[in-house]
Amino acid sequence: GSFTAAEGSTSAAQCVALCPSGQYGVGGVAPCSPCPKGSYNGGSRVAVCTPCPDGMTTTGTGSTLASQCAAVCGDGKTVGPEGCDDGATAAGDGCSASCSIEATWACAANSSGGASVCTPGCGNGVLGGVEDCDDGNANAGDGCGVACRVEAGWTCSKVAGARSTCTSTCGDGVRVSAEACDDGNSNAGDGCSTSCSVESGWTCSSSSPSSCSPVCGDSVKLGAETCDDGNSAGADGCSSSCSVEAGWTCSGTGPGSCTPICGDGRKLGAEACDDGSTANGDGCSSTCSVEVGYTCSG
């Protein structure tokens, strides 16, 4: 039960006591101190006690066995026999004072580590506890997600003890399944209506936010279109992108809504000639037709 500190000792007075189980000292010899709370020592002549695993501790000092380390309920770390640990020891929040999961609740580890996240019977149609919503199911994509959290682009009613009703938030720029479009506003006349449906004569992307543009070639002049003659062909006055082509003027919509400008020196469309003027008697009339007795080229 004793030991000398160095070789060559010459008397019994140089013998010192070994530190027993549950204690430690410099060099593992007296003077010895009990292992602090949260550590243990199962042998003799130990200089440093072994700490308990993370999230566990001992009930007091001087522990001698690893089995004396127990989980610390309420520290936010689920270890050993704990079914959950939400960082508190209060009952009624899903994780009891003894760190067991309470009836009708579900607890899961935090995705980023740390305390358990408990939800009270998510999907039972009864809003309560830490739930943001409860629409009676645990499906994603309907506004109330699998963990009873309100999904982006939705709003859900929040009446304790009642089933949540979720509706898409039109105009927030987040297009969800119930919306045909969402361009980030609630204005009409820009392709996406006040109820987030695609307006007639427009097409909208499925992105968030939606990008809407008028349908060129449908004989309806909308948005940035300066013409729409009912087709998407060029060289008829209205281009394939529904802009007025050089040398033409367009009024109204549909076939025949664009006519060439007579007198601009460009022979286009139905013009038989265009001499750069609208005067008669010079071979090319004021309506850009060849006058009797003349021939025109170019």
Side-chain angles (χ1 to χ4, degrees):
S2 60
F3 187 77
T4 56
E7 296 181 356
S9 300
T10 58
S11 69
Q14 292 176 285
C15 295
V16 292
L18 298 176
C19 291
S21 296
Q23 297 185 22
Y24 72 103
V26 177
V29 296
C32 304
S33 301
C35 289
K37 185 178 180 180
S39 64
Y40 64 93
N41 168 27
S44 61
R45 195 188 170 190
V46 172
V48 180
C49 296
T50 303
C52 290
D54 190 35
M56 305 183 80
T57 190
T58 58
T59 56
T61 62
S63 298
T64 59
L65 301 171
S67 60
Q68 291 176 279
C69 295
V72 181
C73 182
D75 66 349
K77 300 173 182 178
T78 305
V79 296
E82 293 180 324
C84 57
D85 196 316
D86 60 357
T89 55
D93 59 359
C95 191
S96 73
S98 60
C99 284
S100 59
I101 300 174
E102 296 177 308
T104 73
W105 289 73
C107 297
N110 191 319
S111 59
S112 59
S116 302
V117 176
C118 299
T119 54
C122 179
N124 64 1
V126 180
L127 180 66
V130 297
E131 291 179 324
D132 287 334
C133 57
D134 197 317
D135 59 355
N137 66 69
N139 301 329
D142 60 358
C144 190
V146 294
C148 284
R149 297 287 183 266
V150 178
E151 297 174 304
W154 295 80
T155 56
C156 298
S157 61
K158 296 184 178 182
V159 179
R163 182 187 298 267
S164 299
T165 300
C166 299
T167 56
S168 58
T169 307
C170 181
D172 64 351
V174 180
R175 181 182 171 274
V176 296
S177 59
E179 298 172 326
C181 58
D182 195 316
D183 59 356
N185 67 67
S186 54
N187 302 328
D190 59 359
C192 191
S193 74
T194 56
S195 60
C196 284
S197 59
V198 179
E199 295 175 307
S200 178
W202 294 78
T203 180
C204 297
S205 68
S206 59
S207 59
S208 292
S210 301
S211 176
C212 299
S213 56
V215 178
C216 181
D218 63 350
S219 295
V220 181
K221 186 164 73 73
L222 296 169
E225 293 179 326
T226 55
C227 59
D228 196 315
D229 59 356
N231 67 70
S232 57
D236 60 356
C238 190
S239 73
S240 58
S241 59
C242 283
S243 60
V244 178
E245 296 175 308
W248 295 78
T249 181
C250 299
S251 62
T253 57
S257 58
C258 297
T259 56
I261 299 171
C262 181
D264 65 350
R266 299 172 180 175
K267 188 166 76 71
L268 299 169
E271 292 178 327
C273 59
D274 195 317
D275 60 357
S277 77
T278 55
N280 291 314
D282 59 358
C284 191
S285 73
S286 59
T287 58
C288 285
S289 60
V290 179
E291 294 176 306
V292 176
Y294 283 86
T295 181
C296 298
S297 63

